[in-house]
């Protein structure tokens, strides 16, 4: 893992084979003391892709009553080409979405990037710190964490 900081504050992160994507991004956020920001670009490849996505509420009618988890988790292996990685950083914590394609199976997956997603060949990620707002995510309606001022 390597990171480079521009004069304008942007941080460019280069991940290498075997690096864990989300964990490396979180470490870079800590190292560069980024409290609030955005991941504006992320491309590369993964050989382990771990994501979660939200399933339709109608499949979980009890959600509104019991606030049950409605996330589906996928743990995939293969040669996943990352077409997009982006998201927001609040209180130093990233919330990232990823879109990836696996040519052998012809599958495309989109979801929330989860820990233990492992870089295959490389990843390049650009993070833009935002000065000013101090944000956090706190549960609101139906227990969903939403951005709020701290």
């Amino acid at each position: 893992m390597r990171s480079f900081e521009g004069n304008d504050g942007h941080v460019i992160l280069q991940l290498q084979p075997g690096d864990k994507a989300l964990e490396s991004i979180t470490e870079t956020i800590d190292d560069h003391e980024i409290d609030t920001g955005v991941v504006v670009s992320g491309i590369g490849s993964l050989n382990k892709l771990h994501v979660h996505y939200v399933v339709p509420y109608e499949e979980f009618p009890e959600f509104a009553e019991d606030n049950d988890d409605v996330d589906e988790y996928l743990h995939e292996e293969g040669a996943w080409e990352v077409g997009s990685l982006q998201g927001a950083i609040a209180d130093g914590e990233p919330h990232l979405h990823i879109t990836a394609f696996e040519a052998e199976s012809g599958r495309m997956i989109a979801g929330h990037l989860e820990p233990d997603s492992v870089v295959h060949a490389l990843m390049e990620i650009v993070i833009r710190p935002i000065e000013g707002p101090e944000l956090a995510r706190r549960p609101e309606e139906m227990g969903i964490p939403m951005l709020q001022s701290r």
Side-chain angles (χ1 to χ4, degrees):
M1 173 178 85
R2 297 182 194 136
S3 65
F4 311 90
E5 188 168 339
N7 293 336
D8 61 359
H10 283 73
V11 175
I12 300 169
L13 174 60
Q14 178 186 351
L15 301 183
Q16 300 170 359
D19 287 341
K20 292 183 176 182
L22 183 58
E23 292 86 340
S24 297
I25 294 166
T26 301
E27 182 179 337
T28 299
I29 289 168
D30 291 343
D31 289 349
H32 290 269
E33 300 178 350
I34 300 170
D35 181 73
T36 302
V38 291
V39 172
V40 296
S41 175
I43 59 168
S45 61
L46 299 168
N47 56 32
K48 291 185 181 176
L49 174 63
H50 295 192
V51 299
H52 84 267
Y53 59 91
V54 178
V55 297
Y57 292 134
E58 56 268 11
E59 292 183 25
F60 293 89
E62 70 278 6
F63 177 71
E65 295 174 16
D66 299 335
N67 198 25
D68 287 342
D69 191 6
V70 295
D71 294 329
E72 183 82 22
Y73 288 82
L74 294 176
H75 302 279
E76 300 290 334
E77 294 191 16
W80 290 92
E81 190 69 26
V82 176
S84 175
L85 176 69
Q86 59 189 2
I89 300 163
D91 201 13
E93 295 293 324
H95 173 206
L96 305 176
H97 286 223
I98 188 169
T99 303
F101 174 75
E102 206 278 322
E104 188 173 320
S105 67
R107 292 178 64 205
M108 180 166 292
I109 292 178
H112 300 251
L113 182 64
E114 287 290 324
D116 297 321
S117 294
V118 178
V119 174
H120 179 61
L122 68 84
M123 282 193 83
E124 297 172 343
I125 299 152
V126 179
I127 302 171
R128 178 179 180 255
I130 299 174
E131 298 296 324
E134 293 183 356
L135 302 175
R137 285 187 188 81
R138 293 191 189 99
E140 287 187 0
E141 186 178 341
M142 298 190 320
I144 299 170
M146 303 294 239
L147 288 175
Q148 300 176 13
S149 292
R150 286 194 304 242

